[in-house]
Protein backbone atom coordinates (compact mmCIF):
# COMPACT_ATOMS: atom_id res chain seq x y z
CA UNK A 1 0.00 0.00 0.00
CA UNK A 2 1.48 3.41 -0.89
CA UNK A 3 1.71 6.22 1.66
CA UNK A 4 -0.95 8.07 -0.34
CA UNK A 5 -3.31 5.10 -0.03
CA UNK A 6 -2.50 4.95 3.69
CA UNK A 7 -3.22 8.63 4.12
CA UNK A 8 -6.60 8.15 2.44
CA UNK A 9 -7.28 5.09 4.57
CA UNK A 10 -6.36 7.05 7.69
CA UNK A 11 -9.24 9.44 7.07
CA UNK A 12 -11.74 6.61 7.20
CA UNK A 13 -10.82 5.54 10.77
CA UNK A 14 -9.00 2.56 12.23
CA UNK A 15 -8.75 -0.48 9.91
CA UNK A 16 -10.74 -3.61 10.74
CA UNK A 17 -9.32 -5.41 13.77
CA UNK A 18 -7.66 -2.30 15.16
CA UNK A 19 -8.77 -0.61 18.39
CA UNK A 20 -9.98 3.01 18.38
CA UNK A 21 -6.38 4.09 19.17
CA UNK A 22 -5.27 2.15 16.06
CA UNK A 23 -3.41 -0.48 18.07
CA UNK A 24 -3.52 -4.11 16.98
CA UNK A 25 -2.16 -7.37 18.30
CA UNK A 26 1.44 -7.85 17.09
CA UNK A 27 0.51 -11.40 16.02
CA UNK A 28 4.01 -12.61 16.85
CA UNK A 29 3.05 -16.19 16.04
CA UNK A 30 2.03 -15.07 12.55
CA UNK A 31 5.54 -14.25 11.32
CA UNK A 32 7.00 -16.68 8.78
CA UNK A 33 10.52 -18.10 9.04
CA UNK A 34 11.41 -16.00 5.99
CA UNK A 35 10.27 -12.83 7.80
CA UNK A 36 12.33 -13.70 10.88
CA UNK A 37 15.32 -14.38 8.63
CA UNK A 38 14.86 -10.99 6.93
CA UNK A 39 14.97 -9.23 10.33
CA UNK A 40 18.15 -11.15 11.18
CA UNK A 41 19.72 -10.15 7.85
CA UNK A 42 18.88 -6.48 8.41
CA UNK A 43 19.99 -6.63 12.05
CA UNK A 44 23.34 -8.28 11.36
CA UNK A 45 24.17 -5.80 8.61
CA UNK A 46 23.60 -2.89 10.98
CA UNK A 47 25.18 -4.55 14.02
CA UNK A 48 28.42 -4.87 12.04
CA UNK A 49 28.28 -1.32 10.69
CA UNK A 50 27.14 0.75 13.67
CA UNK A 51 29.87 0.44 16.33
CA UNK A 52 31.74 3.76 16.02
CA UNK A 53 28.89 5.25 14.00
CA UNK A 54 25.83 5.05 16.30
CA UNK A 55 25.88 7.01 19.56
CA UNK A 56 26.49 5.27 22.90
CA UNK A 57 22.83 5.64 24.00
CA UNK A 58 21.72 3.68 20.92
CA UNK A 59 24.33 0.93 21.33
CA UNK A 60 23.53 0.59 25.05
CA UNK A 61 19.81 0.39 24.24
CA UNK A 62 20.36 -2.33 21.65
CA UNK A 63 22.26 -4.30 24.29
CA UNK A 64 19.83 -3.61 27.15
CA UNK A 65 16.81 -4.76 25.13
CA UNK A 66 18.63 -7.82 23.87
CA UNK A 67 17.47 -6.98 20.31
CA UNK A 68 19.82 -9.64 18.98
CA UNK A 69 19.57 -11.01 15.51
CA UNK A 70 17.36 -14.01 16.28
CA UNK A 71 14.36 -12.84 14.32
CA UNK A 72 11.62 -10.26 14.80
CA UNK A 73 11.36 -9.42 18.53
CA UNK A 74 8.25 -10.25 20.55
CA UNK A 75 6.99 -6.83 21.68
CA UNK A 76 5.74 -8.30 24.97
CA UNK A 77 9.25 -9.48 25.85
CA UNK A 78 10.86 -6.18 24.80
CA UNK A 79 8.27 -4.28 26.83
CA UNK A 80 9.18 -6.10 30.04
CA UNK A 81 12.69 -4.64 29.77
CA UNK A 82 11.71 -1.28 28.25
CA UNK A 83 9.01 -0.57 30.85
CA UNK A 84 11.45 -1.30 33.66
CA UNK A 85 14.04 1.06 32.16
CA UNK A 86 12.02 4.17 31.23
CA UNK A 87 8.32 3.33 31.46
CA UNK A 88 7.98 3.18 27.67
CA UNK A 89 6.28 0.40 25.79
CA UNK A 90 5.90 -0.58 22.14
CA UNK A 91 2.33 -0.82 20.82
CA UNK A 92 1.71 -2.58 17.50
CA UNK A 93 -0.03 -0.63 14.72
CA UNK A 94 -0.77 -1.64 11.13
CA UNK A 95 1.17 1.30 9.62
CA UNK A 96 1.04 5.12 9.66
CA UNK A 97 -1.59 6.39 12.07
CA UNK A 98 -3.23 9.85 12.20
CA UNK A 99 -1.04 12.56 13.73
CA UNK A 100 -3.32 13.07 16.76
CA UNK A 101 -3.29 9.31 17.46
CA UNK A 102 0.50 9.21 17.07
CA UNK A 103 1.09 12.13 19.42
CA UNK A 104 -1.38 10.81 22.00
CA UNK A 105 0.54 7.53 22.16
CA UNK A 106 3.91 9.30 22.48
CA UNK A 107 2.54 11.59 25.20
CA UNK A 108 1.63 8.44 27.16
CA UNK A 109 5.02 6.72 26.62
CA UNK A 110 3.64 4.31 24.06
CA UNK A 111 5.68 3.97 20.85
CA UNK A 112 3.54 2.91 17.82
CA UNK A 113 5.49 0.33 15.83
CA UNK A 114 4.43 -1.26 12.56
CA UNK A 115 4.04 -5.01 13.10
CA UNK A 116 4.82 -5.83 9.44
CA UNK A 117 8.28 -6.27 7.93
CA UNK A 118 9.39 -5.03 4.49
CA UNK A 119 9.61 -7.38 1.50
CA UNK A 120 13.08 -8.65 0.49
CA UNK A 121 13.01 -6.42 -2.60
CA UNK A 122 12.49 -3.41 -0.29
CA UNK A 123 15.60 -4.25 1.73
CA UNK A 124 17.12 -0.80 1.37
CA UNK A 125 14.14 1.44 1.00
CA UNK A 126 10.48 1.42 1.86
CA UNK A 127 7.95 4.20 2.06
CA UNK A 128 6.33 3.66 5.44
CA UNK A 129 7.92 2.56 8.72
CA UNK A 130 8.05 -1.21 9.21
CA UNK A 131 8.98 -3.19 12.33
CA UNK A 132 12.70 -2.92 11.56
CA UNK A 133 12.61 0.87 11.15
CA UNK A 134 10.49 1.29 14.28
CA UNK A 135 11.82 -1.32 16.69
CA UNK A 136 15.49 -1.44 15.59
CA UNK A 137 15.63 2.25 14.62
CA UNK A 138 13.60 4.02 17.29
CA UNK A 139 13.18 1.79 20.34
CA UNK A 140 16.80 1.48 21.60
CA UNK A 141 16.97 5.25 22.13
CA UNK A 142 13.87 5.02 24.35
CA UNK A 143 16.00 3.24 26.97
CA UNK A 144 17.89 6.51 27.51
CA UNK A 145 16.05 8.44 30.27
CA UNK A 146 16.74 11.86 28.70
CA UNK A 147 15.64 10.82 25.21
CA UNK A 148 12.64 8.99 26.68
CA UNK A 149 11.57 12.30 28.25
CA UNK A 150 12.19 14.14 24.97
CA UNK A 151 9.91 11.87 22.94
CA UNK A 152 7.15 12.15 25.51
CA UNK A 153 7.54 15.96 25.49
CA UNK A 154 7.46 15.81 21.69
CA UNK A 155 4.15 13.93 21.83
CA UNK A 156 2.63 16.55 24.13
CA UNK A 157 4.04 19.30 21.89
CA UNK A 158 2.54 17.60 18.87
CA UNK A 159 -0.95 17.74 20.33
CA UNK A 160 -0.46 21.46 21.05
CA UNK A 161 0.98 22.06 17.56
CA UNK A 162 -2.06 20.39 16.02
CA UNK A 163 -4.34 22.74 17.95
CA UNK A 164 -2.24 25.77 16.91
CA UNK A 165 -2.06 24.68 13.27
CA UNK A 166 1.74 24.35 13.35
CA UNK A 167 2.12 20.64 12.77
CA UNK A 168 4.50 21.16 9.84
CA UNK A 169 7.02 23.02 12.00
CA UNK A 170 6.92 20.30 14.62
CA UNK A 171 7.15 17.53 12.00
CA UNK A 172 10.41 19.14 10.86
CA UNK A 173 11.73 19.06 14.43
CA UNK A 174 10.94 15.32 14.59
CA UNK A 175 12.44 14.71 11.17
CA UNK A 176 15.77 16.44 11.83
CA UNK A 177 16.18 14.95 15.32
CA UNK A 178 14.33 11.70 16.02
CA UNK A 179 14.60 10.49 12.41
CA UNK A 180 17.83 12.02 11.02
CA UNK A 181 19.68 13.60 13.94
CA UNK A 182 23.45 13.55 14.54
CA UNK A 183 25.17 13.98 17.91
CA UNK A 184 28.56 15.68 18.44
CA UNK A 185 30.88 13.65 20.69
CA UNK A 186 34.57 13.90 21.64
CA UNK A 187 35.19 11.02 19.22
CA UNK A 188 33.39 12.81 16.37
CA UNK A 189 29.82 12.88 15.01
CA UNK A 190 27.58 9.96 15.92
CA UNK A 191 24.11 8.90 14.72
CA UNK A 192 21.03 8.91 16.95
CA UNK A 193 18.28 9.33 14.29
CA UNK A 194 16.21 6.20 13.58
CA UNK A 195 15.92 6.85 9.85
CA UNK A 196 19.71 6.79 9.55
CA UNK A 197 20.51 4.02 12.02
CA UNK A 198 18.05 1.60 10.38
CA UNK A 199 19.49 2.25 6.91
CA UNK A 200 22.75 0.63 5.82
CA UNK A 201 23.61 3.16 3.11
CA UNK A 202 22.52 6.24 5.02
CA UNK A 203 24.47 5.17 8.14
CA UNK A 204 27.55 5.60 5.92
CA UNK A 205 26.36 8.59 3.87
CA UNK A 206 25.25 10.69 6.89
CA UNK A 207 28.71 10.56 8.49
CA UNK A 208 31.15 10.08 5.63
CA UNK A 209 29.78 11.64 2.43
CA UNK A 210 31.01 15.12 1.51
CA UNK A 211 27.70 15.80 -0.23
CA UNK A 212 25.35 16.90 2.60
CA UNK A 213 25.61 19.94 4.89
CA UNK A 214 26.06 19.22 8.58
CA UNK A 215 24.91 22.20 10.66
CA UNK A 216 24.53 22.96 14.35
CA UNK A 217 20.96 22.36 15.57
CA UNK A 218 18.88 25.49 16.20
CA UNK A 219 15.18 25.04 16.98
CA UNK A 220 13.85 27.90 14.84
CA UNK A 221 16.25 27.14 11.99
CA UNK A 222 15.17 23.50 11.88
CA UNK A 223 11.49 24.46 11.95
CA UNK A 224 12.08 26.61 8.85
CA UNK A 225 13.84 23.84 6.93
CA UNK A 226 11.78 21.54 4.69
CA UNK A 227 12.87 17.92 4.33
CA UNK A 228 12.76 15.17 1.74
CA UNK A 229 11.14 11.85 2.48
CA UNK A 230 12.34 9.82 -0.49
CA UNK A 231 16.11 10.10 -0.46
CA UNK A 232 19.21 10.78 1.65
CA UNK A 233 19.05 14.10 3.48
CA UNK A 234 20.80 17.15 2.00
CA UNK A 235 21.31 18.55 5.46
CA UNK A 236 21.84 16.91 8.87
CA UNK A 237 21.55 18.88 12.11
CA UNK A 238 23.98 18.22 14.96
CA UNK A 239 23.12 18.48 18.67
CA UNK A 240 25.76 18.83 21.43
CA UNK A 241 23.91 16.43 23.76
CA UNK A 242 20.58 14.69 24.27
CA UNK A 243 20.03 16.94 27.30
CA UNK A 244 20.25 19.93 24.94
CA UNK A 245 17.39 18.54 22.86
CA UNK A 246 15.19 17.93 25.92
CA UNK A 247 15.99 21.41 27.22
CA UNK A 248 15.06 22.99 23.87
CA UNK A 249 11.65 21.31 23.97
CA UNK A 250 10.79 21.85 27.59
CA UNK A 251 12.21 25.35 28.10
CA UNK A 252 10.79 26.93 24.93
CA UNK A 253 7.40 28.62 24.85
CA UNK A 254 6.29 27.42 21.42
CA UNK A 255 3.40 29.88 20.97
CA UNK A 256 5.62 32.97 20.37
CA UNK A 257 8.01 30.78 18.36
CA UNK A 258 5.16 29.67 16.10
CA UNK A 259 3.99 33.31 15.82
CA UNK A 260 7.52 34.36 14.74
CA UNK A 261 7.67 31.51 12.24
CA UNK A 262 4.46 32.77 10.61
CA UNK A 263 6.41 35.75 9.30
CA UNK A 264 9.53 33.85 8.25
CA UNK A 265 10.03 32.04 4.96
CA UNK A 266 11.27 28.46 4.64
CA UNK A 267 15.02 28.04 4.20
CA UNK A 268 15.92 26.05 1.05
CA UNK A 269 17.07 22.54 2.01
CA UNK A 270 20.61 22.90 0.62
CA UNK A 271 21.16 26.48 1.87
CA UNK A 272 23.66 27.51 4.54
CA UNK A 273 22.66 30.67 6.42
CA UNK A 274 25.18 33.24 7.67
CA UNK A 275 24.56 32.39 11.33
CA UNK A 276 24.59 28.60 10.84
CA UNK A 277 27.24 26.72 12.85
CA UNK A 278 28.86 24.74 10.03
CA UNK A 279 30.29 21.31 10.90
CA UNK A 280 30.72 20.55 7.20
CA UNK A 281 29.76 22.46 4.08
CA UNK A 282 28.41 19.91 1.60
CA UNK A 283 29.09 19.71 -2.11
CA UNK A 284 25.50 18.49 -2.73
CA UNK A 285 27.01 16.26 -5.45
CA UNK A 286 24.66 13.41 -4.52
CA UNK A 287 21.52 15.53 -4.73
CA UNK A 288 22.69 17.28 -7.92
CA UNK A 289 23.37 13.88 -9.53
CA UNK A 290 19.69 13.03 -8.90
CA UNK A 291 20.17 11.01 -5.72
CA UNK A 292 18.57 7.57 -5.24
CA UNK A 293 16.63 7.90 -8.40
CA UNK A 294 19.93 7.59 -10.27
CA UNK A 295 21.93 5.54 -7.79
CA UNK A 296 22.61 1.91 -8.84
N1 LIG B 1 2.41 6.90 12.46
N2 LIG B 1 2.92 4.68 12.88
C1 LIG B 1 3.33 5.95 12.70
N3 LIG B 1 4.65 6.23 12.76
C2 LIG B 1 5.11 7.50 12.58
O1 LIG B 1 6.32 7.74 12.63
C3 LIG B 1 4.18 8.53 12.33
C4 LIG B 1 2.82 8.20 12.29
N4 LIG B 1 1.91 9.16 12.05
C5 LIG B 1 2.26 10.57 11.92
C6 LIG B 1 3.73 10.80 11.91
N5 LIG B 1 4.61 9.82 12.14
C7 LIG B 1 4.24 12.18 11.59
O2 LIG B 1 3.33 12.81 10.73
C8 LIG B 1 4.41 13.02 12.85
O3 LIG B 1 5.64 12.70 13.38
C9 LIG B 1 4.43 14.48 12.50
FE1 LIG C 1 10.41 6.73 12.23
Amino acid sequence: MSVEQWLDAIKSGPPPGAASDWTIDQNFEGYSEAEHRLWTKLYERQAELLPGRACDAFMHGLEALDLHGAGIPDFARVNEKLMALTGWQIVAVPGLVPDAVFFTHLASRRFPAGNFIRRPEELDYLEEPDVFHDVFGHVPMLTDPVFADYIQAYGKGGLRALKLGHLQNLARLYWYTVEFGLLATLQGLRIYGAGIVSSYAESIFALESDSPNRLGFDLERVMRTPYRIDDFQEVYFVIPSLEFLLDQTTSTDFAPLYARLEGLSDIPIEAIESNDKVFSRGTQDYACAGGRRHSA
Side-chain angles (χ1 to χ4, degrees), residues 93 95-99 102-103 112 129 134 138 154 167 171 174 179:
V93 291
L96 290 173
V97 303
D99 292 329
F102 185 63
F103 294 132
D134 281 328
H138 282 286
Y154 178 85
L167 176 68
Y174 189 84
E179 292 295 355

mmCIF file of all heavy atoms in Angstrom, residues 93 95-99 102-103 112 129 134 138 154 167 171 174 179, ligand 1:
data_model
loop_
_atom_site.group_PDB
_atom_site.id
_atom_site.type_symbol
_atom_site.label_atom_id
_atom_site.label_comp_id
_atom_site.label_asym_id
_atom_site.label_seq_id
_atom_site.Cartn_x
_atom_site.Cartn_y
_atom_site.Cartn_z
ATOM 1 N N VAL A 93 0.952 -1.298 15.585
ATOM 2 C CA VAL A 93 -0.028 -0.630 14.724
ATOM 3 C C VAL A 93 0.144 -1.181 13.309
ATOM 4 O O VAL A 93 1.190 -1.727 12.986
ATOM 5 C CB VAL A 93 0.149 0.915 14.725
ATOM 6 C CG1 VAL A 93 -0.241 1.509 16.071
ATOM 7 C CG2 VAL A 93 1.566 1.318 14.334
ATOM 8 N N GLY A 95 0.407 0.433 10.536
ATOM 9 C CA GLY A 95 1.170 1.305 9.620
ATOM 10 C C GLY A 95 1.084 2.724 10.143
ATOM 11 O O GLY A 95 0.954 2.936 11.346
ATOM 12 N N LEU A 96 1.148 3.717 9.223
ATOM 13 C CA LEU A 96 1.044 5.118 9.662
ATOM 14 C C LEU A 96 -0.313 5.339 10.301
ATOM 15 O O LEU A 96 -1.319 4.814 9.832
ATOM 16 C CB LEU A 96 1.198 6.036 8.442
ATOM 17 C CG LEU A 96 2.604 6.087 7.843
ATOM 18 C CD1 LEU A 96 2.596 6.880 6.554
ATOM 19 C CD2 LEU A 96 3.603 6.687 8.831
ATOM 20 N N VAL A 97 -0.332 6.070 11.397
ATOM 21 C CA VAL A 97 -1.587 6.391 12.068
ATOM 22 C C VAL A 97 -1.776 7.911 12.041
ATOM 23 O O VAL A 97 -0.809 8.644 11.822
ATOM 24 C CB VAL A 97 -1.603 5.857 13.528
ATOM 25 C CG1 VAL A 97 -1.354 4.351 13.577
ATOM 26 C CG2 VAL A 97 -0.583 6.603 14.381
ATOM 27 N N PRO A 98 -3.005 8.391 12.248
ATOM 28 C CA PRO A 98 -3.234 9.846 12.201
ATOM 29 C C PRO A 98 -2.341 10.575 13.213
ATOM 30 O O PRO A 98 -2.022 10.037 14.276
ATOM 31 C CB PRO A 98 -4.709 9.979 12.578
ATOM 32 C CG PRO A 98 -5.324 8.661 12.247
ATOM 33 C CD PRO A 98 -4.249 7.643 12.489
ATOM 34 N N ASP A 99 -1.953 11.784 12.874
ATOM 35 C CA ASP A 99 -1.041 12.559 13.734
ATOM 36 C C ASP A 99 -1.525 12.597 15.176
ATOM 37 O O ASP A 99 -0.762 12.338 16.113
ATOM 38 C CB ASP A 99 -0.945 14.001 13.203
ATOM 39 C CG ASP A 99 -0.233 14.041 11.860
ATOM 40 O OD1 ASP A 99 0.646 13.179 11.643
ATOM 41 O OD2 ASP A 99 -0.572 14.907 11.026
ATOM 42 N N PHE A 102 -0.945 9.419 16.870
ATOM 43 C CA PHE A 102 0.503 9.208 17.070
ATOM 44 C C PHE A 102 0.983 10.004 18.283
ATOM 45 O O PHE A 102 1.626 9.466 19.190
ATOM 46 C CB PHE A 102 1.228 9.655 15.801
ATOM 47 C CG PHE A 102 2.705 9.394 15.798
ATOM 48 C CD1 PHE A 102 3.201 8.094 15.857
ATOM 49 C CD2 PHE A 102 3.608 10.449 15.744
ATOM 50 C CE1 PHE A 102 4.571 7.851 15.851
ATOM 51 C CE2 PHE A 102 4.981 10.211 15.741
ATOM 52 C CZ PHE A 102 5.454 8.915 15.792
ATOM 53 N N PHE A 103 0.632 11.263 18.320
ATOM 54 C CA PHE A 103 1.094 12.127 19.421
ATOM 55 C C PHE A 103 0.501 11.687 20.764
ATOM 56 O O PHE A 103 1.180 11.729 21.795
ATOM 57 C CB PHE A 103 0.725 13.584 19.139
ATOM 58 C CG PHE A 103 1.435 14.168 17.962
ATOM 59 C CD1 PHE A 103 0.743 14.866 16.975
ATOM 60 C CD2 PHE A 103 2.808 13.999 17.811
ATOM 61 C CE1 PHE A 103 1.405 15.414 15.883
ATOM 62 C CE2 PHE A 103 3.476 14.540 16.718
ATOM 63 C CZ PHE A 103 2.766 15.230 15.750
ATOM 64 N N PRO A 112 4.245 3.711 18.843
ATOM 65 C CA PRO A 112 3.543 2.915 17.824
ATOM 66 C C PRO A 112 4.550 2.314 16.852
ATOM 67 O O PRO A 112 5.321 3.044 16.232
ATOM 68 C CB PRO A 112 2.657 3.935 17.104
ATOM 69 C CG PRO A 112 2.684 5.165 17.933
ATOM 70 C CD PRO A 112 3.986 5.145 18.675
ATOM 71 N N PRO A 129 7.120 3.238 7.706
ATOM 72 C CA PRO A 129 7.925 2.560 8.720
ATOM 73 C C PRO A 129 7.458 1.136 9.005
ATOM 74 O O PRO A 129 6.292 0.921 9.315
ATOM 75 C CB PRO A 129 7.757 3.447 9.958
ATOM 76 C CG PRO A 129 6.598 4.311 9.713
ATOM 77 C CD PRO A 129 6.378 4.385 8.244
ATOM 78 N N ASP A 134 11.024 0.825 12.991
ATOM 79 C CA ASP A 134 10.489 1.294 14.280
ATOM 80 C C ASP A 134 11.182 0.661 15.478
ATOM 81 O O ASP A 134 11.611 1.361 16.401
ATOM 82 C CB ASP A 134 8.980 1.020 14.348
ATOM 83 C CG ASP A 134 8.182 2.055 13.560
ATOM 84 O OD1 ASP A 134 8.632 3.212 13.489
ATOM 85 O OD2 ASP A 134 7.119 1.702 13.016
ATOM 86 N N HIS A 138 14.067 3.075 16.257
ATOM 87 C CA HIS A 138 13.601 4.021 17.286
ATOM 88 C C HIS A 138 13.722 3.507 18.721
ATOM 89 O O HIS A 138 14.076 4.271 19.620
ATOM 90 C CB HIS A 138 12.117 4.343 17.056
ATOM 91 C CG HIS A 138 11.855 5.317 15.955
ATOM 92 N ND1 HIS A 138 12.094 6.673 16.064
ATOM 93 C CD2 HIS A 138 11.363 5.126 14.704
ATOM 94 C CE1 HIS A 138 11.756 7.272 14.937
ATOM 95 N NE2 HIS A 138 11.317 6.367 14.095
ATOM 96 N N TYR A 154 7.795 15.576 23.102
ATOM 97 C CA TYR A 154 7.464 15.809 21.690
ATOM 98 C C TYR A 154 5.997 15.461 21.438
ATOM 99 O O TYR A 154 5.250 16.195 20.786
ATOM 100 C CB TYR A 154 8.359 14.968 20.765
ATOM 101 C CG TYR A 154 7.989 15.161 19.318
ATOM 102 C CD1 TYR A 154 8.507 16.217 18.584
ATOM 103 C CD2 TYR A 154 7.026 14.341 18.717
ATOM 104 C CE1 TYR A 154 8.108 16.428 17.276
ATOM 105 C CE2 TYR A 154 6.616 14.557 17.417
ATOM 106 C CZ TYR A 154 7.156 15.603 16.695
ATOM 107 O OH TYR A 154 6.739 15.833 15.403
ATOM 108 N N LEU A 167 1.591 21.998 12.808
ATOM 109 C CA LEU A 167 2.122 20.643 12.768
ATOM 110 C C LEU A 167 3.371 20.559 11.899
ATOM 111 O O LEU A 167 4.355 19.913 12.251
ATOM 112 C CB LEU A 167 1.062 19.671 12.230
ATOM 113 C CG LEU A 167 1.596 18.256 12.070
ATOM 114 C CD1 LEU A 167 1.883 17.670 13.432
ATOM 115 C CD2 LEU A 167 0.649 17.388 11.295
ATOM 116 N N ALA A 171 6.741 18.731 12.762
ATOM 117 C CA ALA A 171 7.146 17.534 12.003
ATOM 118 C C ALA A 171 8.603 17.672 11.563
ATOM 119 O O ALA A 171 9.364 16.700 11.556
ATOM 120 C CB ALA A 171 6.239 17.356 10.797
ATOM 121 N N TYR A 174 10.842 16.787 14.448
ATOM 122 C CA TYR A 174 10.938 15.323 14.589
ATOM 123 C C TYR A 174 11.882 14.776 13.530
ATOM 124 O O TYR A 174 12.770 13.972 13.799
ATOM 125 C CB TYR A 174 9.536 14.729 14.410
ATOM 126 C CG TYR A 174 9.380 13.257 14.715
ATOM 127 C CD1 TYR A 174 9.177 12.817 16.020
ATOM 128 C CD2 TYR A 174 9.394 12.303 13.711
ATOM 129 C CE1 TYR A 174 8.999 11.470 16.309
ATOM 130 C CE2 TYR A 174 9.219 10.959 13.990
ATOM 131 C CZ TYR A 174 9.012 10.543 15.285
ATOM 132 O OH TYR A 174 8.831 9.207 15.572
ATOM 133 N N GLU A 179 14.398 11.331 13.600
ATOM 134 C CA GLU A 179 14.605 10.494 12.410
ATOM 135 C C GLU A 179 16.020 10.626 11.847
ATOM 136 O O GLU A 179 16.633 9.619 11.486
ATOM 137 C CB GLU A 179 13.583 10.858 11.326
ATOM 138 C CG GLU A 179 12.149 10.507 11.664
ATOM 139 C CD GLU A 179 11.889 8.996 11.807
ATOM 140 O OE1 GLU A 179 12.805 8.179 11.555
ATOM 141 O OE2 GLU A 179 10.762 8.637 12.164
HETATM 142 N N1 LIG B 1 2.409 6.904 12.457
HETATM 143 N N2 LIG B 1 2.921 4.678 12.881
HETATM 144 C C1 LIG B 1 3.329 5.948 12.701
HETATM 145 N N3 LIG B 1 4.647 6.232 12.755
HETATM 146 C C2 LIG B 1 5.110 7.498 12.576
HETATM 147 O O1 LIG B 1 6.324 7.744 12.634
HETATM 148 C C3 LIG B 1 4.182 8.526 12.330
HETATM 149 C C4 LIG B 1 2.817 8.204 12.286
HETATM 150 N N4 LIG B 1 1.905 9.157 12.051
HETATM 151 C C5 LIG B 1 2.263 10.571 11.923
HETATM 152 C C6 LIG B 1 3.726 10.796 11.909
HETATM 153 N N5 LIG B 1 4.607 9.821 12.141
HETATM 154 C C7 LIG B 1 4.244 12.181 11.585
HETATM 155 O O2 LIG B 1 3.327 12.808 10.732
HETATM 156 C C8 LIG B 1 4.406 13.018 12.847
HETATM 157 O O3 LIG B 1 5.642 12.703 13.381
HETATM 158 C C9 LIG B 1 4.431 14.478 12.496
#
